[in-house]
Amino acid sequence: MNLQRLKDHQLSKALVRLLIKLSSKISNHAPLLRKIAMDIHGQCEDVSEDTQFIHQPYFAIINEKTHMVILNNILIVELERMINSLEWIIQTQSLSQDQVTHFCGQVSYSVTTFGQIVQCRLKNRMTIINIVKLITKLYTILDEFTRQMIKNKTPIRDEFEKLASISGSQLQQPCYGFVTYTMTLELDDEEETVKKKKKKTDKKDPKKKKSVLKDTLVPKLVYQMEQYERSLLELGKQQDKRLLETFKMSAVRDFRFNLDSIPDEQRTLRTSQQENQAEEEVPEDEEQVDEEENE
């Protein structure tokens, strides 16, 4: 095939869509999405300026001219479908042991795929917004899955330990780097806006426009990440497992955010859920003591 044709946007989208469609007919196409994400990462500058991702491409159709088109029009769309499917499962299904194994596998693919994407130095604001929204959903799924294991006292299997490990090493750590990079972009945009306004008028703008990313989406993401870490810590204590060995502790992250941007009902709901669960897990001996005191 002519190399010039490999750089055609319409052709590249058509071929990648066909590849995904055929793959999904034959087997699980989640590994394919991860390969596509790795190829896209290979075409982007890394969020960390000190890091260079050395990667042997899987697909020639994903190149310097087409990688952003494929990311925005195909990969993000496919990942959203996968996340929505996982969300539906965790919210509506009671998983058997075999289903837990399969679920861990699917979530692991999502984790490692997003782990590649968040290492990309992206410039498009809407792309970043869509990615932040999806990762927030993914962390909500991880947290809910962990909370269910705590509530049901489900034994931790190797598949879950592996999921917990890679969610720390391959997603959480690069995700904090991506968030820091995103916040830096937002600050740069704000400074540029201020400079432009000063050129037009010397008067200060009385109302500062809120940033969707900085003031809403990023705080929600970080909040959900920290909730997941707390749930893992609680599950680990319950079953005497060390599940946070690959995690960078939240206390040492390189930024702060305003918790006021988290809806009150979200925080209240989470707190009440934890209190209810704590009440359910009161030992029988303590209950008997309370009854005796009441008598």
Side-chain angles (χ1 to χ4, degrees):
M1 184 181 287
N2 189 309
L3 288 177
Q4 193 62 36
R5 294 197 67 192
L6 289 176
K7 298 179 181 180
D8 181 86
H9 288 179
Q10 295 302 321
L11 177 62
S12 65
K13 287 193 292 183
L15 287 176
V16 174
R17 282 198 182 104
L18 179 60
L19 179 62
I20 292 172
K21 185 176 181 179
L22 292 174
S23 177
S24 63
K25 296 287 185 183
I26 299 169
S27 62
N28 180 9
H29 70 290
L32 173 62
L33 298 182
R34 183 171 60 184
K35 288 181 179 179
I36 293 172
M38 291 177 73
D39 275 2
I40 291 171
H41 182 194
Q43 296 295 332
C44 295
E45 292 182 35
D46 206 278
V47 164
S48 173
E49 294 180 355
D50 301 329
T51 305
Q52 184 178 2
F53 181 58
I54 300 173
H55 168 64
Q56 184 66 36
Y58 290 105
F59 309 108
I61 199 72
I62 302 174
N63 50 60
E64 60 180 351
K65 297 291 185 182
T66 64
H67 68 283
M68 287 307 299
V69 173
I70 292 169
L71 172 63
N72 287 316
N73 293 277
I74 298 177
L75 185 58
I76 288 178
V77 174
E78 290 295 327
L79 286 172
E80 184 175 12
R81 286 176 184 163
M82 185 183 292
I83 292 296
N84 288 341
S85 174
L86 293 171
E87 185 180 46
W88 179 83
I89 291 171
I90 201 66
Q91 289 179 352
T92 63
Q93 305 296 307
S94 178
L95 301 178
S96 66
Q97 287 291 348
D98 290 339
Q99 289 172 326
V100 165
T101 300
H102 177 72
F103 187 80
C104 285
Q106 287 297 98
V107 178
S108 295
Y109 279 124
S110 298
V111 165
T112 51
T113 301
F114 276 109
Q116 292 295 321
I117 295 173
V118 295
Q119 293 179 69
C120 299
R121 185 177 285 267
L122 304 171
K123 303 292 184 183
N124 186 285
R125 183 181 172 81
M126 279 310 301
T127 302
I128 294 173
I129 286 174
N130 289 332
I131 289 169
V132 169
K133 285 180 178 179
L134 288 177
I135 297 175
T136 304
K137 265 191 170 185
L138 177 58
Y139 269 106
T140 304
I141 292 166
L142 286 165
D143 181 45
E144 181 61 29
F145 185 34
T146 308
R147 299 304 307 175
Q148 287 185 15
M149 292 188 67
I150 295 169
K151 182 178 179 181
N152 300 328
K153 297 184 178 178
T154 308
I156 296 174
R157 300 179 67 173
D158 291 344
E159 293 83 3
F160 184 84
E161 283 197 67
K162 182 181 178 182
L163 172 60
S165 177
I166 64 173
S167 66
S169 61
Q170 297 191 40
L171 182 60
Q172 189 245 25
Q173 292 181 22
C175 200
Y176 274 134
F178 183 73
V179 168
T180 303
Y181 165 72
T182 300
M183 300 288 272
T184 304
L185 278 184
E186 288 292 290
L187 290 173
D188 291 344
D189 288 345
E190 286 178 6
E191 289 176 3
E192 190 65 29
T193 303
V194 169
K195 286 179 182 178
K196 287 180 180 178
K197 285 182 178 179
K198 281 185 177 180
K199 286 181 180 179
K200 291 181 180 180
T201 175
D202 293 333
K203 294 181 180 179
K204 291 184 179 179
D205 190 3
K207 290 184 179 179
K208 187 178 179 182
K209 190 176 179 181
K210 280 195 171 185
S211 163
V212 175
L213 265 173
K214 183 167 71 74
D215 297 320
T216 304
L217 296 181
V218 167
K220 283 182 180 178
L221 169 59
V222 177
Y223 175 78
Q224 202 58 58
M225 290 171 71
E226 293 181 349
Q227 291 302 320
Y228 171 54
E229 290 169 32
R230 290 190 186 100
S231 296
L232 277 181
L233 182 63
E234 186 177 343
L235 179 62
K237 285 181 178 178
Q238 185 190 74
Q239 302 197 29
D240 196 24
K241 296 277 188 178
R242 300 176 67 181
L243 300 174
L244 292 173
E245 290 185 330
T246 61
F247 283 73
K248 176 183 179 182
M249 289 298 98
S250 304
V252 296
R253 51 183 158 80
D254 301 323
F255 55 88
R256 293 290 180 269
F257 64 91
N258 186 2
L259 264 178
D260 292 339
S261 58
I262 306 298
D264 289 338
E265 60 270 18
Q266 184 177 344
R267 281 182 283 170
T268 304
L269 176 63
R270 180 55 191 264
T271 304
S272 62
Q273 286 175 341
Q274 291 175 337
E275 288 175 351
N276 291 337
Q277 187 170 326
E279 289 174 2
E280 290 174 2
E281 294 177 355
V282 172
E284 292 182 3
D285 293 344
E286 291 186 14
E287 290 181 356
Q288 291 174 358
V289 170
D290 291 340
E291 289 175 2
E292 290 172 1
E293 288 178 354
N294 291 333
E295 290 175 0

